[in-house]
């Protein structure tokens, strides 16, 4: 097949096995970062239930990095859990916004663009068009020269209004 990803999948599974082995040997200190890594691995493999389980475990272990909030928000959104996804993506946006690269650096933090657009879509699906449009407007305002972000943000604004 033209896009055979089986070797990539095997590599992800191999790395996840290595992480699991390390977690069995390490103490509680590695539980949060390990659960985050396993959750992201499951998310990359489109295994949503174990991804959410591991990412929640990381969050519950007080490993509350913006990247965990982002990955958990995406996994929850893909599971159809839009209310919980909105909470996680909002947590990511609030914390990631403080760590943004300078505005002149292109492209912007892609996770922030994606988080805002997914959150806007989730809000729209919940019937909250005003807040959904606000997320799209934020993308347009914060990343005016980012072509994909601008196009998707405008599309979301049109959908909402």
């Amino acid at each position: 097949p033209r896009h055979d990803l089986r070797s990539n999948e095997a590599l992800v599974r191999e790395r996840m096995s290595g992480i699991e082995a390390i977690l069995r040997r390490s103490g509680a200190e590695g539980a949060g970062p390990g659960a985050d890594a396993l959750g992201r691995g499951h998310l990359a493999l489109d295994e949503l239930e174990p991804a959410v389980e591991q990412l929640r475990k990381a969050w519950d272990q007080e490993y509350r990095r913006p990247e965990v909030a982002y990955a958990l928000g995406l996994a929850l959104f893909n599971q159809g859990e839009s209310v919980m996804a909105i909470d996680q993506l909002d947590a990511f946006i609030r914390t990631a916004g403080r760590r943004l690269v300078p505005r002149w650096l292109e492209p912007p933090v892609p996770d922030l663009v994606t988080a805002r657009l997914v959150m806007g879509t989730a809000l729209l699906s919940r019937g909250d068009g005003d807040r959904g449009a606000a997320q799209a407007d934020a993308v347009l305002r914060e990343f005016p020269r980012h072509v994909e972000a601008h196009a998707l943000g405008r599309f979301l604004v049109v959908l909402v209004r």
Side-chain angles (χ1 to χ4, degrees):
R2 192 168 163 200
H3 298 289
D4 188 356
L5 300 176
R6 286 180 288 197
S7 64
N8 291 343
E9 181 179 331
L11 180 62
V12 170
R13 290 195 187 285
E14 180 182 319
R15 288 187 178 166
M16 288 173 66
S17 293
I19 292 167
E20 289 169 336
I22 291 169
L23 286 174
R24 284 191 294 273
R25 291 189 309 266
S26 70
E29 301 117 28
D36 173 38
L38 292 173
R40 289 183 204 224
H42 285 297
L43 186 57
L45 295 169
D46 203 29
E47 298 170 349
L48 298 177
E49 284 186 39
V52 168
E53 180 183 325
Q54 290 295 327
L55 291 165
R56 279 190 173 144
K57 184 188 275 187
W59 198 258
D60 292 344
Q61 294 283 329
E62 299 298 319
Y63 193 70
R64 298 194 173 179
R65 298 174 55 104
E67 297 82 2
V68 177
Y70 173 74
L72 183 54
L74 289 185
L76 288 166
F77 179 78
N78 286 323
Q79 275 190 323
E81 301 287 343
S82 58
V83 172
M84 289 185 278
I86 290 166
D87 291 342
Q88 289 301 138
L89 292 169
D90 187 48
F92 169 74
I93 290 166
R94 281 193 322 268
T95 56
R98 289 186 225 129
R99 299 186 332 167
L100 276 179
V101 294
R103 292 178 76 77
W104 50 265
L105 187 59
E106 294 288 338
V109 178
D111 293 347
L112 186 59
V113 172
T114 302
R116 284 204 181 279
L117 294 174
V118 170
M119 186 174 169
T121 304
L123 287 162
L124 176 63
S125 74
R126 303 285 307 158
D128 194 344
D130 290 340
R131 285 181 58 210
Q135 291 302 316
D137 287 340
V139 168
L140 297 174
R141 185 179 60 255
E142 293 172 12
F143 308 108
R145 292 184 306 279
H146 189 273
V147 176
E148 294 87 359
H150 193 74
L152 290 169
R154 286 177 46 112
F155 177 72
L156 187 56
V157 168
V158 169
L159 280 179
V160 170
R161 295 191 173 135

